[in-house]
Amino acid sequence: MKEKRSKDDNIWIERVKANPDAALKDLYKLLQGEFQQWLGDHYGLKAEEARDVFQETMLSFYENVRHGKLTQLDSSIKTYLFAIGKYKAISFLRKYRKEEKLDMESYQIQSDKKAAGNFLNGSDQDGEERVDMIRELLSKLKDPCQSIILGFYFHKKTMVEIAQQLNYNSPDVAKAQKYRCMSKFIGFVKKKS
Amino acid sequence: MRQELLEKIEKHLGLLPASHKELEEINQDQEVLDNASLMKDFMMAIEAHGNNALKEDMRSWDLELQAESPKKDQQGQRAPKDEEAPASIPKAVLEQYFAPNPSYEINMVAAMRGASLDLLFPANGFEWTQPITNFVFTDQLLEGSKYRIENNQSKVLQEGELYSDEEQKIEFNLSEQHPGRYYLKFFNDRDTKILCFFIQKDLLPE
């Protein structure tokens, strides 16, 4: 039964690869209520916190599919997601409790350690600023560049899939368009840096 | 940025397939290395941007769910039955896992001596998938008795009366309780019976 269930649920991986938006939406709607109630009952998370943990769980699942880390399920999709959710809830609680306990003294110690770490390792402040700046520029991107860049770099779609999605005649057209978008975008980033 | 250079960087970052030989050459190309850090920042930004976009979508799905059924979001919606849901945990394991109320353990032995009353349901603890549930007993309850549900700290969670001319039914809201050991006490002028039960939720080893 377990083997059959995991085999059946592998369809979710295929669906997510083929059409992430629709598949994630269906999965989200299927499990949201039960998952969030479980987080509330078992880990005492408030509704908003449970929602955040559930969304992070869905993102982790999608990330694992996108990056090819999850190609086959050994359990049902529900068991898989609840296992991720359990880990996320515990991490959330640890972080939350840690923050609650943080008084000024320990904050000072943390800050000193961080400062020492930055001194030893070299601060990554510039890198972080650049990432933030690129994020801001990405949010301003217009279509078709937004769809192509997100499709290729985030959703890991092939140029064939992107061409189909945007009704281009061939993958080469999509590829040329992607190059134009990226070239322009990198130009903006360099100019802003 | 030239197309050739962009493709080389994408190969360098594993975004496009490349042969071993090709990679060796690319990894020594200074122009690729100079631009790789910018591209790495771009990839970090696109991950964050993509995740944010997905979270936006999820927020709209939440709204759709609320519109479809306003109560679903508050009460939790039951997903299809899953054969792989946490298996029933033997009572002996639950007894070890959840601390008893020491004074009740002694009372229980005395109160239940010779009694045929026990819980048919839940045999091994209530599962977390049931928000509100009924107890099922092996025998008739004490006639005209009162009942009280307590946790293992003797905190009274629910109490009421059982009338002999009505169905002897006790409904208990599990969703408000934590996993643990609980006691169900029946008492009238003549007698007292104490049963113990568990709420296991999805008890799994940490």
Side-chain angles (χ1 to χ4, degrees):
Chain A
M1 179 62 78
K2 188 178 176 185
E3 199 178 323
K4 187 178 182 301
R5 164 71 57 157
S6 52
K7 210 172 176 181
D8 290 347
D9 276 5
N10 278 320
I11 192 76
W12 282 110
I13 297 178
E14 299 311 315
R15 282 193 61 196
V16 165
K17 276 185 195 167
N19 188 350
D21 286 343
L24 290 172
K25 184 177 180 177
D26 286 349
L27 195 55
Y28 190 95
K29 286 189 168 187
L30 181 70
L31 291 177
Q32 183 252 23
E34 186 181 9
F35 200 103
Q36 287 179 202
Q37 181 160 340
W38 172 70
L39 290 170
D41 289 349
H42 195 66
Y43 297 100
L45 299 189
K46 293 173 194 160
E48 281 300 311
E49 295 167 344
R51 186 163 297 169
D52 286 347
V53 169
F54 179 54
Q55 291 185 351
E56 289 296 330
T57 301
M58 291 292 291
L59 290 179
S60 287
F61 163 66
Y62 183 44
E63 188 180 335
N64 288 343
V65 174
R66 275 192 296 129
H67 292 288
K69 290 179 193 166
L70 178 68
T71 53
Q72 205 175 334
L73 286 165
D74 296 325
S75 61
S76 73
I77 186 73
K78 184 175 151 184
T79 305
Y80 180 83
L81 288 172
F82 273 58
I84 297 178
K86 182 180 171 181
Y87 165 76
K88 296 265 179 203
I90 291 168
S91 301
F92 173 86
L93 287 172
R94 277 190 190 137
K95 188 175 170 231
Y96 179 71
R97 283 177 190 152
K98 207 173 168 183
E99 279 172 7
E100 287 249 299
K101 284 180 189 167
L102 203 69
D103 56 15
M104 282 311 288
E105 190 183 353
S106 61
Y107 177 74
Q108 190 59 49
I109 293 166
Q110 297 265 348
S111 303
D112 290 349
K113 279 184 183 170
K114 200 175 173 190
N118 282 346
F119 179 74
L120 291 170
N121 305 324
S123 171
D124 203 21
Q125 190 75 17
D126 293 345
E128 278 175 30
E129 277 174 15
R130 188 158 71 173
V131 171
D132 286 343
M133 183 259 290
I134 297 172
R135 272 180 68 179
E136 202 186 321
L137 287 175
L138 278 168
S139 67
K140 288 175 186 166
L141 257 183
K142 300 254 182 326
D143 266 338
C145 286
Q146 176 85 248
S147 298
I148 292 174
I149 289 180
L150 262 184
F152 182 78
Y153 293 105
F154 181 73
H155 296 295
K156 311 286 180 203
K157 286 182 180 174
T158 63
M159 294 320 292
V160 176
E161 289 166 332
I162 291 172
Q164 281 170 351
Q165 183 193 333
L166 297 175
N167 286 327
Y168 289 153
N169 287 334
S170 75
D172 288 338
V173 178
K175 197 174 162 185
Q177 183 64 49
K178 178 193 143 231
Y179 166 67
R180 278 196 289 274
C181 292
M182 273 305 279
S183 183
K184 208 170 166 184
F185 187 77
I186 295 290
F188 274 135
V189 173
K190 283 187 170 170
K191 208 171 163 185
K192 276 232 169 194
S193 296
Chain B
M1 187 183 282
R2 305 183 321 275
Q3 185 158 8
E4 186 198 358
L5 175 62
L6 179 63
E7 283 179 5
K8 276 185 180 176
I9 297 168
E10 286 171 344
K11 284 177 180 174
H12 172 73
L13 296 176
L15 298 166
L16 287 179
S19 68
H20 180 68
K21 194 183 167 195
E22 204 178 358
L23 264 182
E24 272 189 343
E25 282 172 19
I26 288 172
N27 291 346
Q28 287 174 1
D29 187 326
Q30 196 52 48
E31 201 179 7
V32 170
L33 298 177
D34 289 343
N35 285 282
S37 102
L38 170 65
M39 199 63 183
K40 278 178 188 164
D41 285 347
F42 169 80
M43 289 308 294
M44 282 172 76
I46 200 112
E47 281 289 315
H49 177 72
N51 282 337
N52 267 356
L54 266 176
K55 278 192 175 178
E56 287 287 327
D57 289 343
M58 288 178 192
R59 275 190 274 276
S60 69
W61 302 339
D62 276 329
L63 292 175
E64 280 178 31
L65 274 170
Q66 280 171 21
E68 283 165 19
S69 171
K71 285 184 179 173
K72 268 185 189 172
D73 195 45
Q74 293 155 10
Q75 293 181 351
Q77 132 198 34
R78 183 90 58 88
K81 193 172 189 301
D82 190 338
E83 285 83 356
E84 292 174 44
S88 176
I89 299 166
K91 196 170 181 177
V93 175
L94 291 167
E95 280 172 349
Q96 283 191 342
Y97 206 93
F98 294 123
N101 181 329
S103 61
Y104 273 6
E105 287 307 289
I106 300 161
N107 289 344
M108 261 183 82
V109 177
M112 299 309 287
R113 186 167 290 147
S116 56
L117 181 66
D118 204 346
L119 281 172
L120 256 182
F121 179 79
N124 297 340
F126 287 118
E127 301 239 349
W128 57 277
T129 45
Q130 304 149 320
I132 293 176
T133 194
N134 285 308
F135 294 89
V136 183
F137 303 96
T138 53
D139 206 347
Q140 277 293 98
L141 303 176
L142 288 175
E143 250 188 48
S145 70
K146 292 180 177 174
Y147 77 89
R148 192 177 283 169
I149 298 174
E150 297 179 12
N151 65 11
N152 70 342
Q153 309 293 311
S154 302
K155 185 184 172 192
V156 179
L157 306 169
Q158 185 173 316
E159 53 188 339
E161 275 188 51
L162 297 165
Y163 300 101
S164 51
D165 54 344
E166 287 177 12
E167 191 190 356
Q168 296 192 320
K169 191 175 159 188
I170 300 174
E171 269 194 357
F172 186 50
N173 191 341
L174 297 174
S175 62
E176 293 169 4
Q177 310 305 332
H178 297 292
R181 189 188 290 237
Y182 293 77
Y183 294 90
L184 181 54
K185 191 156 73 172
F186 301 98
F187 52 98
N188 59 16
D189 295 338
R190 301 181 307 277
D191 214 348
T192 301
K193 303 282 180 214
I194 305 172
L195 297 171
C196 133
F197 67 93
F198 299 92
I199 298 177
Q200 67 188 56
K201 307 264 172 158
D202 74 323
L203 175 67
L204 290 168
E206 291 296 325

